[in-house]
Amino acid sequence: MDFTYTEEQEMVRELAATFAKNYVAPLSEQMDIDNTMPHHIAEKMAELGFMGINVPEEYGGAGMDEVSKALVIMEIAKVDASVAELLAVHTLTNDIFLKRGTEEQKKKYLALGASGKVGAFALTEPGAGSDASAAKTKAISDGDDYIINGTKCFISNMGPEEGDYVVLIALTDPSAGTKGMSAIVVDRNTPGFSVGKLENKMGLRGANVSELIFQDCRVPKSNLLGKEGEGFKIAMAALDGGRIGMAAQAVGVAECALDAAVDYSTQRIQFGKPINANQGIQWYLADMATQTEAAKALTLNAAALRQAGKSVNKEAAMAKYFASENAVKVAYQSLQIHGGYGYMKDYAIERMYRDARIIPLYEGTSEIQKVVISRAVITGK
Ligand code: CAA
């Protein structure tokens, strides 16, 4: 496997790093306080081509590859995991339109997505988290329309003002379980669709995460993605790609926490010398760097395989599992190296530590990733 970047990949990586440093970093502290993100960040990312990074040029996107997408998410996560989250979830919805949308849907939603409108993906419900098959939201046929009723929760990219359309997984045939689920796009302004409570989170506070409520929400059947009954598989396939995005976010967080630990331990003098002159700290840094490099390799491997059109069910789960657990561990170790100062809001590690904690929980917990990995290992698929 060749992990050297092409000229184009290196260019877009640098562009993302510059954007994150100059545009996002000055806003991060306030977003953490406000528990929301201003929309101009998505607009700026659209201007730079990031919102449509995985959208072909013919639909208004940048037409770049999976490795480029992962590199952009990593670079942004190094500065702000919430902004990386917006991009990872948004590009997951782009991917669903690209793979399962009609020509008309592609023309509309890929162009919207690339232009700065924000897409969301609604699978989770209060009673259907790890067990996505337990989702109860219904989309019942009524002539040329579906009438949707139900509640989705913890939906990223939806806030009081953020979020323009959502790919919803709902039961079009409630008697058929996962085989009765369908994927339907719903525009935010559709009557009967409302954005409920904005979640007040421990970390990743810049990310808008809300409840979505559907009450007799009528949408035309032309909003169906793929065929009726394919929704669960569409969701699972989308999560295979999404989990690479989450792994990339985790790598960015870990790299940032490692850099902070190196800086702090070089500057911090105790017992007459920088603390990283002590072997105990050196061993921490060596472990943090090695594990983060391994997480990055798993992530880029999954991205490259997906770009080559291979199934990445196992590889994406491995990358997400390893990289997210590593991000939590490295953030913990970095804070430990910072000592009491790391617990204060004056140091960025305090936010990183809180931000890291969500990554082994969403887009499938670590335990769910292990279910996916072990099934693949046992069946050899
Ligand atoms: N691609 C395509 N099809 C797939 C698939 C995949 N990756 N994985 C499963 N399927 C298919 C299966 O082949 C099966 O099809 P058949 O019925 O035709 O055989 C069907 O889907 C059902 O599959 P399973 O029997 O494996 O389903 P299960 O109920 O045992 O669930 C699971 C499997 C892996 C546990 C799954 O429920 C899962 O991934 N759970 C976690 C859910 C999750 O990740 N939620 C995250 C929400 S999104 C989010 O967090 C976004 C955000 O805001 C950040």
Side-chain angles (χ1 to χ4, degrees):
M1 181 73 50
D2 180 6
F3 283 139
T4 52
Y5 306 145
T6 63
E7 211 175 298
E8 203 182 33
Q9 288 166 347
E10 183 54 31
M11 255 170 56
V12 76
R13 193 195 65 74
E14 277 173 25
L15 184 66
T18 306
F19 158 73
K21 186 165 153 259
N22 296 342
Y23 197 91
V24 178
L27 305 169
S28 288
E29 195 181 331
Q30 197 58 44
M31 290 195 283
D32 187 49
I33 294 167
D34 294 347
N35 193 42
T36 189
M37 188 186 303
H39 181 64
H40 63 81
I41 292 187
E43 281 172 352
K44 185 71 188 170
M45 287 202 286
E47 231 175 81
L48 296 171
F50 300 156
M51 296 292 276
I53 191 160
N54 57 343
V55 171
E57 289 174 23
E58 59 181 299
Y59 297 110
M64 297 192 81
D65 66 308
E66 291 287 328
V67 170
S68 299
K69 188 179 88 182
L71 291 173
V72 167
I73 293 171
M74 272 179 209
E75 288 302 332
I76 296 175
K78 270 194 205 173
V79 169
D80 193 304
S82 297
V83 178
E85 154 78 354
L86 183 149
L87 189 61
V89 173
H90 175 77
T91 50
L92 177 156
T93 63
N94 286 344
D95 199 58
I96 297 178
F97 290 110
L98 200 53
K99 297 212 162 67
R100 305 313 303 266
T102 60
E103 194 50 36
E104 203 176 314
Q105 288 166 345
K106 284 184 197 171
K107 281 196 178 124
K108 178 175 174 187
Y109 290 101
L110 290 175
L112 281 177
S115 74
K117 298 291 180 197
V118 174
F121 172 62
L123 173 65
T124 303
E125 297 186 7
S130 288
D131 183 8
S133 71
K136 299 249 177 308
T137 295
K138 293 180 184 58
I140 301 303
S141 169
D142 185 46
D144 291 337
D145 300 331
Y146 292 115
I147 299 180
I148 306 172
N149 280 288
T151 302
K152 295 283 175 182
C153 66
F154 302 156
I155 304 306
S156 300
N157 288 1
M158 297 302 287
E161 283 161 33
E162 193 65 290
D164 297 285
Y165 51 89
V166 57
V167 174
L168 173 77
I169 305 298
L171 287 158
T172 44
D173 179 358
S175 66
T178 54
K179 289 192 166 38
M181 289 183 183
S182 302
I184 299 167
V185 56
V186 187
D187 291 320
R188 183 187 180 112
N189 57 9
T190 312
F193 172 22
S194 54
V195 177
K197 182 169 73 101
L198 177 72
E199 297 297 344
N200 187 8
K201 308 178 296 305
M202 167 186 174
L204 211 75
R205 291 176 55 79
N208 286 290
V209 175
S210 299
E211 179 185 49
L212 305 184
I213 302 150
F214 299 88
Q215 278 177 319
D216 293 329
C217 172
R218 183 179 284 273
V219 297
K221 283 189 176 162
S222 56
N223 283 22
L224 178 72
L225 286 143
K227 297 197 183 94
E228 276 192 8
E230 289 184 339
F232 191 77
K233 288 187 185 181
I234 291 175
M236 291 298 120
L239 286 171
D240 285 345
R243 286 168 184 165
I244 303 174
M246 294 300 128
Q249 179 198 36
V251 170
V253 169
E255 285 183 334
C256 182
L258 171 62
D259 289 348
V262 171
D263 286 351
Y264 184 84
S265 63
T266 305
Q267 286 155 21
R268 177 69 172 163
I269 309 292
Q270 289 290 275
F271 303 105
K273 58 186 180 188
I275 58 172
N276 64 17
N278 298 300
Q279 205 173 48
I281 301 290
Q282 291 166 0
W283 285 14
Y284 258 149
L285 296 176
D287 282 341
M288 292 156 78
T290 306
Q291 307 276 339
T292 300
E293 202 58 36
K296 193 171 189 171
L298 280 173
T299 305
L300 295 178
N301 176 53
L305 287 173
R306 191 158 197 267
Q307 182 60 33
K310 308 276 185 210
S311 160
V312 290
N313 183 239
K314 179 183 74 179
E315 289 76 7
M318 284 177 164
K320 202 266 180 183
Y321 166 49
F322 188 84
S324 62
E325 292 291 338
N326 179 62
V328 172
K329 215 183 303 166
V330 171
Y332 174 92
Q333 289 167 337
S334 181
L335 199 152
Q336 194 66 18
I337 289 170
H338 281 74
Y341 284 108
Y343 199 68
M344 305 300 151
K345 292 212 176 266
D346 306 326
Y347 283 80
I349 188 61
E350 184 272 340
R351 174 170 58 83
M352 271 180 259
Y353 180 79
R354 289 182 286 111
D355 287 354
R357 190 61 188 87
I358 184 63
I359 318 177
L361 297 171
Y362 63 16
E363 288 212 15
T365 60
S366 289
E367 291 70 23
I368 287 294
Q369 307 311 323
K370 287 193 265 189
V371 168
V372 173
I373 297 163
S374 61
R375 281 183 183 180
V377 169
I378 291 164
T379 60
K381 285 185 194 154

